[in-house]
Amino acid sequence: GKNEYDLLVIGGGSGGLACAKEAAQFGRKVAVLDYVEPSPQGTKWGLGGTCVNVGCIPKKLMHQAALLGSALKDAQHYGWNIAQPVHHSWSVMAEGVQNYVKSLNWGHRVQLQDKKVKYFNMKGSFSGPHTVRGLTKAGKETIVTAENIVIATGGRPKYPTHIAGALEYGITSDDLFWLKESPGKTSLLNGLFLYVSLESAGFLTGIGLDTTVMMRSIPLRGFDQQMASLVTEHMESYGTKFLKRCFPIKVEKLESNRLQVTWKNTDLGTEETDSFDTVMWAVGRAPDTETLNLETVGVKTNSETGKIIVDASEATSVPHIYAVGDITEGRPELTPTAIAAGKLLAQRLFGKSSELMDYDNVPTTVFTPLEYGCVGLSEEVAVQCFGSDNIEVYHAYYKPLEFTVAERDATQCYIKMVCLRERGQRILGLHFIGPNAGEVIQGFALGIKCGATYPQLMKTIGIHPTCAEEITKLHITKRSGLDATVTGC
């Protein structure tokens, strides 16, 4: 018989919602299944996915809270008389952030209704190639059939279940942004990926909390490592404690209700302990595929990562079943790429388009206290691809004008541009550490996407006096060995 829907999307995050809404624009019958399994600590949220509820949005708002704390210190140098001591209220901040997130949840529901997209608050699993079984929280079952199905369930934070006490006593980023009370003295324990760990540690330190980051290996794996080191150096000077080359062994609850963490220091070969109010795990994310029943319909996944294997058109191994966003193998785990991929997929399915998603030169920013924005290749990857003799790196240490009167340290404010050495000097990557890094990189990303060259950038007039202007004045190469510190304005 005829399938009920033209498109069914499983997952109500950024990519899934974008795909569903775009498909509805073509007059197609569309449905979305979305269900949030509560975290092990019982945290749950509404429609909108990771970014809206436990990712980019609350993270950036809490980062802003920390920046305001720094601004209060600077303000005194600019003549503002601010009574000391300044006190931060976690509950006031959390309520404001959580209320805004709830408004976004409601907004997404209204948008789906306006576009005549059917919303099922149900957990979906395949029972056939075109058939999905939806299950409500109360256990009520609904069978939905569709011509095309898009999987967009994203990922959830992992717990290191091999560590005693990890699951019982630890939280993840799924919980942090929904805490009603301050987490107090916090330890952030992580493995390879420090993105959310560094950002969270940054704003926790910024609002005055005693914060420790334990990292087993390098910071910000996958990013330019010189930039990553500068980010962590600044965080250390800013007050965040780092336990480098250490890994946790167990977490125990003390009679005082505090949590005692025991860890191994690999450099010293010793075991050490300390107690904390909160322990947060940041050991990476796992694709949310467990209940999808993918094996029933033959959707292939990477056995190591659990992610769904897709081709350039986001198609899985099964015709008419697609996947977008964080759940797909080899894609950046970024909201804007999921949104763009979801829209383009809908346009190919229903709008006679053939345009594929281009994943090259995607800009991003790490919202640490001193922000790090980048687009294109890291210096390490550029050297691997083209060889060190064929790469020219222009760089500069600069001081933002805003830092001068307040006498803020700008040691880690740094810009690096990676170019080919050939005549045209095409820009391969741009890396910026400093205030408003995301705003700076967003503009330059267009030029780099269009194949901008170093000579073209040198003809670009800077806006004075800004931090972004310093990019248009880069003239010292690493190869020259000259001092890259900017002097004067």
Side-chain angles (χ1 to χ4, degrees), residues 207-235:
I207 60 175
L209 300 180
D210 185 341
T211 310
T212 300
V213 177
M214 186 183 300
M215 59 182 188
R216 186 168 190 164
S217 61
I218 60 174
L220 294 175
R221 185 178 293 272
F223 288 84
D224 188 288
Q225 282 303 292
Q226 182 190 6
M227 309 305 284
S229 295
L230 288 169
V231 166
T232 53
E233 279 174 26
H234 178 265
M235 288 183 67

Side-chain angles (χ1 to χ4, degrees), residues 228-353:
S229 295
L230 288 169
V231 166
T232 53
E233 279 174 26
H234 178 265
M235 288 183 67
E236 283 189 282
S237 67
Y238 184 72
T240 303
K241 302 183 188 77
F242 283 87
L243 297 171
K244 297 173 183 175
R245 291 182 53 76
C246 295
F247 63 91
I249 299 169
K250 61 182 175 181
V251 181
E252 300 166 289
K253 195 164 194 176
L254 303 174
E255 287 184 11
S256 62
N257 274 337
R258 297 195 93 201
L259 302 173
Q260 181 171 282
V261 179
T262 304
W263 66 88
K264 180 80 177 283
N265 185 316
T266 56
D267 285 337
L268 301 176
T270 56
E271 281 192 12
E272 300 166 21
T273 63
D274 196 1
S275 61
F276 302 89
D277 297 305
T278 302
V279 170
M280 177 177 146
W281 298 103
V283 294
R285 297 175 69 82
D288 195 5
T289 57
E290 201 172 305
T291 59
L292 287 173
N293 212 15
L294 296 178
E295 62 281 356
T296 296
V297 287
V299 172
K300 290 182 181 174
T301 60
N302 181 319
S303 58
E304 289 184 15
T305 64
K307 292 193 173 190
I308 296 172
I309 296 167
V310 291
D311 64 14
S313 67
E314 324 302 342
T316 71
S317 54
V318 179
H320 72 265
I321 299 179
Y322 303 84
V324 294
D326 293 2
I327 201 168
T328 52
E329 181 64 37
R331 304 294 195 229
E333 295 187 4
L334 298 169
T335 296
T337 54
I339 291 171
K343 284 183 177 179
L344 288 170
L345 174 56
Q347 289 164 12
R348 290 193 301 275
L349 289 174
F350 306 115
K352 298 179 182 177
S353 170

